[in-house]
Amino acid sequence: MELKSFSSCSVSTSEVAHVGRSYSTLISSFRHKVGVRFSTHFQCRRGLFLTTYCASDNTYLTDKAVISSVGQDNFAAETSSHRINGTNGSISRFYSTNLKLLDAFDDEYGGVVVHPDRLPSNPYTFASVLRLSLSQWKKMGKKGIWLKLPLDQSDLVPIAVKEGFQYHHAEPGYVMLTYWIPEGPSMLPANASHQVGVGGFVINDNNEVLVVQERHCSPTTLGLWKIPTGFILEAEEIYTGAVREVKEETGIDTEFVEVIAFRHAHNVAFEKSDLFFICMLRPLSSKIIVDDLEIAAAKWMPLVDFVEQPLIQEDSMFKKIVDIFIARLGKRYCGLSTHQVVSKFDGMVSSLYYNVIDNADNNCVGK
Amino acid sequence: MELKSFSSCSVSTSEVAHVGRSYSTLISSFRHKVGVRFSTHFQCRRGLFLTTYCASDNTYLTDKAVISSVGQDNFAAETSSHRINGTNGSISRFYSTNLKLLDAFDDEYGGVVVHPDRLPSNPYTFASVLRLSLSQWKKMGKKGIWLKLPLDQSDLVPIAVKEGFQYHHAEPGYVMLTYWIPEGPSMLPANASHQVGVGGFVINDNNEVLVVQERHCSPTTLGLWKIPTGFILEAEEIYTGAVREVKEETGIDTEFVEVIAFRHAHNVAFEKSDLFFICMLRPLSSKIIVDDLEIAAAKWMPLVDFVEQPLIQEDSMFKKIVDIFIARLGKRYCGLSTHQVVSKFDGMVSSLYYNVIDNADNNCVGK
């Protein structure tokens, strides 16, 4: 058995670790207690190199190894034997490789975050090290394990799943897997649950509404003139997303006034939910330039013609939204304006949307 | 070469297929044009069984095969040769297996959705069939390919990645991969981008606010009495989520009145964004039963004491929210009430949140 120590090291990561489903925001901290971002340097675990042997019966067998001083927990010296199942086809030879614990750091909720940039490149080594690491984390009483596997190391995915990991979420370049060690159901938080869309209601001084016809509309809405809509981009504000979508589809510059209503729907895409914010925007230009890719036509349409479209008049939801538009135009309605706020507890700048609460804040009646 | 035909078949699925990033909602259809759910029966492709051979050089080689009448497109007879790279270690023998195209159906945007319940169980077969299917879909001018791989078939993940698939999203039981065939950047929509939280502001007839202290608060908020908060569950309404969280944490029954404000923050968890809805709730009971798991203490706290907590007074964001609460109590503010709406275009029931727009709808001033 080969035995080498490796020294402690510092790693920089923007990884996120979560434990516990509760949501500690507002009048406590607007930052999730379960979602602390680790953006500073962390000490990764000290570990030991161990020699592993891969047996010909499709099973990886680590040699009995003395493990001491693992991580900050200063484990007592002990003897461990780890058998790690292989995941591939028949293997015709023995091999050996150096084995240490996975590079990882503790989160502040009793969990462990594996460093995604320091994974073993060899699947056999990964299988052995993962098994050994899990064994250690269980002994240490750890809770949630976070394992982010980059796309170019997808061959490690089935190995992690075989060890009991589940998928948590994925982005194009990686999949995040988790393992909940304690008895009982996982207390790890769910992944993102909603898509967010915006619609821009733009009306000019001639009482004309900016409307579009889309290239790829459903047959039931064929011929309908509608307001520009779209998804907001990653980390984009609702108010900038609405302005951007109007600009992209019609070429019209606008400024955000208010969110006048929003709609919540479920099981829309990938079984996820959808929040759609209907925004009032003020036009800053008038010349329409159509986005040919998405939009078949765009124009300024007299409000009365827009409202009287049969598809709007015959649909209770569409009609209600148009009623809100008209009430807003008649200053009988006031939506939610946006305000940048900072909390000293987390230092984050965020957008708070609320109604008029005093004269000084009133951006509704006068516009 | 073995050659067998297989007949057409119908499959039932609730799978979702998306193509194109635009968001066709409101005054067109509140359903994503890019997110049509296929919940009815679809004809799956007719195909041909082909024999494949796995070579010993770690490469799968399909025999030259005559392919005819694939899918509804009635491809002309042609000769194809497909070499599919293996993903495992050395293979010491030839094998053969029946090969057909992957069971899949077209989405209405020029894409293809692979049926997740009909994947080959053998990774070698999957590799061959996937390569063959991709080749066919390219010839057919298909755009986005959706490949949902269940957790118990995670051994297929690296095979799909090797063929050029990327991750799209994941849930505990599966990972969704996509492949964008046309030149240029993928036009497939992004996955869910937001988590949604709720806070419940509950005040009784004695002007006492329902407040809690959490077990796991950050040091900066130690000792703060805050309103109950939490994440909404999958497909849960904001108004039911707020009522549920208050009930779980404090045992108090409430009914929803309004969303009085919401906050939008970014890069909170897993680089995702966060929408937090602050709800006004009316208490229907008074006896507090604390949830010991999450909550250290709960009580009815005089409004003046709640407001005068230094942690609230010293933080501009917290103070603004409390100002909104007080304005609402003084009937100088009106939030967004919820209304169930149905659009005939998609038949979906959804919740539309908006302000008072006429006397009949006014649930603000009188409460």
Side-chain angles (χ1 to χ4, degrees):
Chain A
M1 183 186 72
E2 191 180 6
L3 190 64
K4 298 176 185 171
S5 70
F6 67 97
S7 62
S8 66
C9 54
S10 66
V11 296
S12 177
T13 175
S14 62
E15 195 47 63
V16 177
H18 287 229
V19 173
R21 278 195 180 276
S22 66
Y23 185 101
S24 182
T25 60
L26 196 64
I27 323 300
S28 163
S29 164
F30 262 108
R31 200 131 197 191
H32 298 207
K33 90 177 173 209
V34 294
V36 178
R37 297 184 70 231
F38 296 110
S39 57
T40 52
H41 287 260
F42 290 86
Q43 293 300 111
C44 70
R45 302 186 172 286
R46 294 187 70 247
L48 297 169
F49 284 92
L50 306 172
T51 300
T52 60
Y53 295 95
C54 180
S56 61
D57 65 347
N58 200 20
T59 299
Y60 306 105
L61 176 65
T62 58
D63 200 5
K64 287 184 184 293
V66 177
I67 299 172
S68 63
S69 188
V70 176
Q72 299 162 341
D73 301 76
N74 284 319
F75 261 49
E78 59 184 279
T79 301
S80 302
S81 175
H82 303 280
R83 294 179 65 87
I84 301 179
N85 291 326
T87 59
N88 289 333
S90 63
I91 307 293
S92 58
R93 60 185 176 81
F94 277 77
Y95 77 96
S96 71
T97 181
N98 287 325
L99 178 62
K100 57 174 183 170
L101 294 185
L102 287 169
D103 267 351
F105 55 88
D106 295 346
D107 65 30
E108 59 181 294
Y109 307 103
V112 173
V113 182
V114 177
H115 198 296
D117 298 331
R118 300 183 176 212
L119 296 164
S121 57
N122 183 308
Y124 304 139
T125 307
F126 175 73
S128 302
V129 175
L130 180 62
R131 170 70 65 98
L132 179 61
S133 301
L134 272 176
S135 170
Q136 286 303 320
W137 294 329
K138 287 175 183 174
K139 289 175 185 166
M140 294 161 79
K142 295 297 179 189
K143 295 179 179 172
I145 312 299
W146 297 88
L147 176 63
K148 181 179 181 177
L149 297 179
L151 186 68
D152 61 6
Q153 290 192 275
S154 65
D155 51 345
L156 307 187
V157 171
I159 298 168
V161 170
K162 188 156 280 189
E163 289 300 326
F165 278 79
Q166 287 192 317
Y167 302 125
H168 184 272
H169 68 278
E171 294 294 324
Y174 74 87
V175 60
M176 177 75 87
L177 296 105
T178 56
Y179 188 107
W180 181 248
I181 291 176
E183 290 292 314
S186 167
M187 293 293 284
L188 298 173
N191 62 5
S193 56
H194 283 66
Q195 288 186 313
V196 174
V198 287
F201 182 68
V202 186
I203 191 161
N204 65 17
D205 291 341
N206 301 323
N207 255 7
E208 294 170 320
V209 184
L210 181 61
V211 291
V212 299
Q213 285 186 334
E214 292 181 337
R215 286 211 173 276
H216 310 286
C217 61
S218 68
T220 51
T221 58
L222 204 64
L224 178 69
W225 291 96
K226 60 180 280 292
I227 63 172
T229 57
F231 287 113
I232 65 172
L233 303 176
E234 184 179 323
E236 188 177 39
E237 300 297 336
I238 290 165
Y239 57 88
T240 51
V243 168
R244 178 187 49 75
E245 278 292 339
V246 168
K247 177 71 175 177
E248 285 178 4
E249 293 192 1
T250 69
I252 297 295
D253 295 308
T254 59
E255 67 177 351
F256 174 84
V257 179
E258 287 172 359
V259 168
I260 61 170
F262 67 88
R263 176 192 186 246
H264 198 195
H266 304 291
N267 297 315
V268 174
F270 314 118
E271 311 301 318
K272 297 289 186 177
S273 297
D274 183 273
L275 276 162
F276 182 79
F277 293 88
I278 304 152
C279 301
M280 171 76 77
L281 307 177
R282 183 179 302 110
L284 300 175
S285 67
S286 59
K287 186 183 176 188
I288 290 172
I289 303 166
V290 171
D291 167 21
D292 288 332
L293 195 66
E294 287 187 27
I295 302 300
K299 67 176 181 180
W300 291 102
M301 186 180 204
L303 176 62
V304 63
D305 296 343
F306 173 71
V307 171
E308 286 180 355
Q309 293 182 92
L311 286 170
I312 287 179
Q313 287 297 318
E314 293 164 8
D315 191 81
S316 60
M317 181 175 69
F318 288 3
K319 189 157 186 335
K320 173 57 73 179
I321 292 167
V322 169
D323 286 348
I324 296 171
F325 284 151
I326 292 171
R328 176 62 184 82
L329 293 172
K331 295 174 181 168
R332 293 176 288 110
Y333 184 91
C334 194
L336 307 182
S337 50
T338 183
H339 308 263
Q340 300 304 299
V341 290
V342 183
S343 173
K344 68 174 184 176
F345 294 114
D346 58 16
M348 288 180 76
V349 178
S350 57
S351 301
L352 192 64
Y353 291 77
Y354 56 87
N355 206 332
V356 177
I357 60 169
D358 56 47
N359 286 339
D361 254 345
N362 189 338
N363 71 345
C364 171
V365 177
K367 294 182 180 180
Chain B
M1 185 187 71
E2 192 180 3
L3 189 64
K4 297 176 184 172
S5 69
F6 67 96
S7 61
S8 66
C9 54
S10 65
V11 297
S12 177
T13 175
S14 62
E15 195 47 62
V16 178
H18 287 229
V19 173
R21 279 195 179 273
S22 66
Y23 185 100
S24 182
T25 61
L26 196 64
I27 323 301
S28 162
S29 164
F30 262 108
R31 202 131 197 191
H32 298 208
K33 91 178 174 210
V34 295
V36 177
R37 297 185 70 232
F38 296 110
S39 57
T40 53
H41 286 261
F42 290 86
Q43 292 300 111
C44 70
R45 301 185 173 286
R46 294 187 70 246
L48 298 169
F49 285 93
L50 306 172
T51 300
T52 60
Y53 295 95
C54 180
S56 61
D57 64 347
N58 200 20
T59 300
Y60 306 106
L61 176 65
T62 59
D63 200 4
K64 287 183 184 291
V66 177
I67 299 172
S68 62
S69 188
V70 175
Q72 299 161 340
D73 301 77
N74 284 319
F75 261 49
E78 59 184 278
T79 301
S80 302
S81 175
H82 303 280
R83 294 179 64 86
I84 301 178
N85 292 326
T87 59
N88 289 333
S90 64
I91 307 293
S92 58
R93 60 185 176 81
F94 277 77
Y95 77 95
S96 71
T97 181
N98 287 325
L99 177 62
K100 57 174 183 169
L101 295 185
L102 286 169
D103 267 352
F105 55 88
D106 295 345
D107 65 30
E108 58 181 295
Y109 307 103
V112 173
V113 182
V114 177
H115 198 296
D117 298 331
R118 299 181 176 212
L119 296 163
S121 57
N122 183 309
Y124 305 140
T125 307
F126 175 73
S128 302
V129 175
L130 180 62
R131 171 70 65 98
L132 179 61
S133 301
L134 272 176
S135 170
Q136 287 302 319
W137 293 329
K138 287 175 183 174
K139 289 175 185 166
M140 295 161 79
K142 295 298 179 189
K143 294 179 179 173
I145 312 299
W146 297 88
L147 176 63
K148 181 179 181 177
L149 297 179
L151 186 69
D152 61 6
Q153 290 192 275
S154 64
D155 51 345
L156 306 186
V157 171
I159 298 168
V161 170
K162 188 155 279 189
E163 289 300 325
F165 278 79
Q166 287 192 316
Y167 302 125
H168 184 272
H169 69 277
E171 294 294 324
Y174 74 87
V175 60
M176 178 75 87
L177 296 105
T178 57
Y179 188 106
W180 181 249
I181 291 176
E183 290 293 314
S186 167
M187 294 292 284
L188 298 173
N191 62 5
S193 56
H194 283 66
Q195 288 186 314
V196 175
V198 287
F201 182 69
V202 187
I203 191 161
N204 65 18
D205 291 341
N206 301 323
N207 254 8
E208 294 170 321
V209 184
L210 182 61
V211 291
V212 299
Q213 285 186 334
E214 292 181 337
R215 286 211 173 278
H216 309 286
C217 61
S218 68
T220 51
T221 58
L222 204 65
L224 178 69
W225 290 96
K226 60 181 281 291
I227 63 172
T229 57
F231 287 113
I232 65 172
L233 303 176
E234 184 178 322
E236 187 177 40
E237 301 297 336
I238 290 165
Y239 56 88
T240 51
V243 168
R244 177 187 50 73
E245 278 292 339
V246 168
K247 176 71 175 177
E248 285 178 4
E249 294 192 1
T250 69
I252 297 295
D253 295 308
T254 59
E255 68 178 350
F256 175 84
V257 180
E258 288 172 0
V259 168
I260 60 169
F262 68 88
R263 175 192 186 245
H264 198 195
H266 304 291
N267 297 315
V268 174
F270 314 118
E271 311 300 318
K272 297 289 185 178
S273 297
D274 183 274
L275 277 162
F276 182 79
F277 292 89
I278 304 152
C279 301
M280 171 77 77
L281 308 177
R282 183 180 301 110
L284 300 175
S285 67
S286 59
K287 186 183 176 188
I288 290 172
I289 303 166
V290 171
D291 167 21
D292 288 332
L293 196 66
E294 286 187 28
I295 301 300
K299 67 176 181 180
W300 291 102
M301 186 180 205
L303 177 62
V304 63
D305 296 344
F306 173 71
V307 171
E308 286 180 356
Q309 293 182 94
L311 287 170
I312 287 179
Q313 287 297 318
E314 293 163 8
D315 191 81
S316 60
M317 181 175 69
F318 288 3
K319 188 157 186 336
K320 173 57 74 179
I321 292 167
V322 169
D323 286 347
I324 296 171
F325 284 151
I326 292 171
R328 176 63 184 82
L329 293 171
K331 295 175 181 168
R332 293 175 288 109
Y333 184 92
C334 194
L336 307 182
S337 51
T338 183
H339 308 263
Q340 299 305 298
V341 290
V342 183
S343 172
K344 67 175 184 176
F345 295 113
D346 58 16
M348 288 180 77
V349 178
S350 57
S351 301
L352 193 63
Y353 290 77
Y354 56 87
N355 206 331
V356 177
I357 60 170
D358 56 48
N359 286 339
D361 254 344
N362 189 337
N363 72 345
C364 172
V365 177
K367 293 181 179 179

